[in-house]
Amino acid sequence: MSTQELESIAQALVPAGKGILAADEGTATIKRRFDSINVESTEANRRVYREMLFTTPGTEEFISGIILFEETLRQSTEGGTPFPELLASKGIISGIKADTGPHDLAGFPGETVTEGLDGLRERLTEYRELGAKFGKWRAVINVGDGLPTQSGIDANAHALARYAAICQEVGLVPIVEPEVFMEGTHTIERCEEITEATLKRVYFELHAHRVVLEGTLLKPSMVLSGTDCPVQAGVQEVAEATVRCFRRAVPAAVPGVVFLSGGQSAKLATEHLNAMNAIGNCPWELSFSYGRALQGPTLEAWGGKSANAAKAQKIFYQRAKCNSAARYGKYTQQMEALAA
Ligand code: 13P
């Protein structure tokens, strides 16, 4: 695939007013989500839940792409249409979780490195044949006493770059996801410092591995106060710190920054995105690739009951719509009232 084709896929994922749904929870994560609503995590239940999300009427107005877990990429609607085909018919681009998760980094207690490079070329080639057009690899940077270490950042940045290079070779747009974990007592200033150091290292490695930045997207965490920090930064402070940090560390050649929500409430994730877009004047699109912040309220409303599906879909549509408005810096509290 040519560089231009990769660029046009990357751009098609971040058009005005649209963002990405992350629905690529691995087996352990989706089990935790289903446990929270007392639904058994069977393959059949996961399929039903994801069909409900993907068939929500009108989501394509706000959702450009959906990241899938391998199991979902191979599943079909009840009527027998493979999910990637269903999504393509709505103009939604399918993506695939390419990593196999974080594992303890030997010699560095409290830190992890994301695995999945062995056999990646072959797996990605098959995913592309199944309809995936982009990939995602999540690296986790834990914050704590003496954490992260430079070695922890380096190992994760290196793996992200190797993944991204293989993705582009195979013809998939790599979404590069370095997540600075929000759990901890750290201040927003410390988060900004770590986020900047991580992003700079990630772009150093992407450059060293000859990754074409125009054909990538960045999926980062926002610059936030740690969840247990006694002083919590407000929405405007978060937006300003995040934009400042990214202007320093993310090359202008990257078409889009698509944030993860990382455990923020659905509403707060929307407010933060909105405030960043209201600041404006950034070289990249500022968009979303939320998992929990798009699915949380929907999952709760669904509760595993088909009788609740229509209501759950309305809630999903509304969340996507609020985040779409936040892409323009035009989200208002009144939009939430409409949702209720
Ligand atoms: P959250 O928005 O729930 O953090 O999920 C996004 C994601 O894809 C994590 O890898």
Side-chain angles (χ1 to χ4, degrees), residues 22-25 33 67 97 99 136 138 177 179 219 259-263 289-294:
D24 61 321
E25 299 84 1
R33 307 274 186 267
I67 317 174
K97 175 184 170 71
D99 66 76
K136 178 198 109 168
R138 172 173 173 257
E177 180 178 4
E179 173 172 4
K219 173 164 175 167
F259 290 98
L260 59 90
S261 57
S289 175
Y290 295 158
R292 283 161 286 180
L294 276 169

Side-chain angles (χ1 to χ4, degrees), residues 205-222:
E205 290 286 357
L206 290 174
H207 175 72
H209 284 80
R210 302 179 174 171
V211 173
V212 179
L213 296 185
E214 288 83 349
T216 68
L217 293 174
L218 175 69
K219 173 164 175 167
S221 40
M222 298 175 192

Side-chain angles (χ1 to χ4, degrees), residues 2-268:
S2 71
T3 304
Q4 244 166 3
E5 283 170 290
L6 288 170
E7 275 185 54
S8 62
I9 294 168
Q11 280 163 6
L13 286 165
V14 289
K18 289 194 192 183
I20 296 170
L21 165 67
D24 61 321
E25 299 84 1
T27 316
T29 306
I30 195 74
K31 182 178 180 315
R32 276 203 306 280
R33 307 274 186 267
F34 276 20
D35 282 351
S36 74
I37 53 163
N38 291 317
V39 171
E40 202 191 338
S41 183
T42 60
E43 187 186 342
N45 285 343
R46 294 192 290 269
R47 197 204 62 73
V48 165
Y49 171 64
R50 281 157 173 161
E51 176 165 355
M52 180 194 77
L53 286 178
F54 303 164
T55 56
T56 297
T59 38
E60 59 275 20
E61 297 165 45
F62 315 119
I63 300 291
S64 55
I66 300 184
I67 317 174
L68 307 173
F69 184 52
E70 181 177 355
E71 174 188 273
T72 320
L73 187 72
R74 299 178 195 280
Q75 284 175 326
S76 301
T77 63
E78 200 180 355
T81 308
F83 281 139
E85 205 179 292
L86 168 84
L87 296 178
S89 74
K90 292 163 75 104
I92 295 176
I93 305 170
S94 291
I96 181 74
K97 175 184 170 71
D99 66 76
T100 56
H103 293 260
D104 289 347
L105 182 62
F108 293 87
E111 296 192 283
T112 61
V113 65
T114 300
E115 295 188 357
L117 289 170
D118 289 352
L120 183 62
R121 180 180 279 110
E122 292 72 23
R123 283 198 291 123
L124 292 183
T125 304
E126 193 198 351
Y127 298 154
R128 196 200 49 208
E129 279 156 15
L130 288 166
K133 296 207 179 318
F134 67 100
K136 178 198 109 168
W137 181 288
R138 172 173 173 257
V140 181
I141 305 295
N142 290 323
V143 184
D145 230 2
L147 297 184
T149 63
Q150 191 59 48
S151 299
I153 293 175
D154 291 354
N156 277 291
H158 185 260
L160 273 169
R162 285 197 54 205
Y163 139 81
I166 296 174
C167 259
Q168 291 195 330
E169 181 193 285
V170 165
L172 299 180
V173 165
I175 292 190
V176 172
E177 180 178 4
E179 173 172 4
V180 175
F181 221 41
M182 62 190 257
E183 250 104 284
T185 54
H186 54 277
T187 61
I188 187 171
E189 289 81 9
R190 175 95 178 112
C191 180
E192 182 171 354
E193 202 178 287
I194 294 168
T195 305
E196 186 175 331
T198 301
L199 292 172
K200 283 181 172 165
R201 191 68 201 178
V202 166
Y203 283 102
F204 170 84
E205 290 286 357
L206 290 174
H207 175 72
H209 284 80
R210 302 179 174 171
V211 173
V212 179
L213 296 185
E214 288 83 349
T216 68
L217 293 174
L218 175 69
K219 173 164 175 167
S221 40
M222 298 175 192
V223 174
L224 303 166
S225 314
T227 38
D228 298 322
C229 178
V231 186
Q232 290 290 312
V235 170
Q236 191 58 27
E237 195 182 344
V238 166
E240 282 169 15
T242 306
V243 167
R244 177 174 60 228
C245 175
F246 283 53
R247 280 185 180 141
R248 288 176 179 163
V250 182
V254 174
V257 174
V258 295
F259 290 98
L260 59 90
S261 57
Q264 300 178 52
S265 75
K267 205 160 151 269
L268 199 53

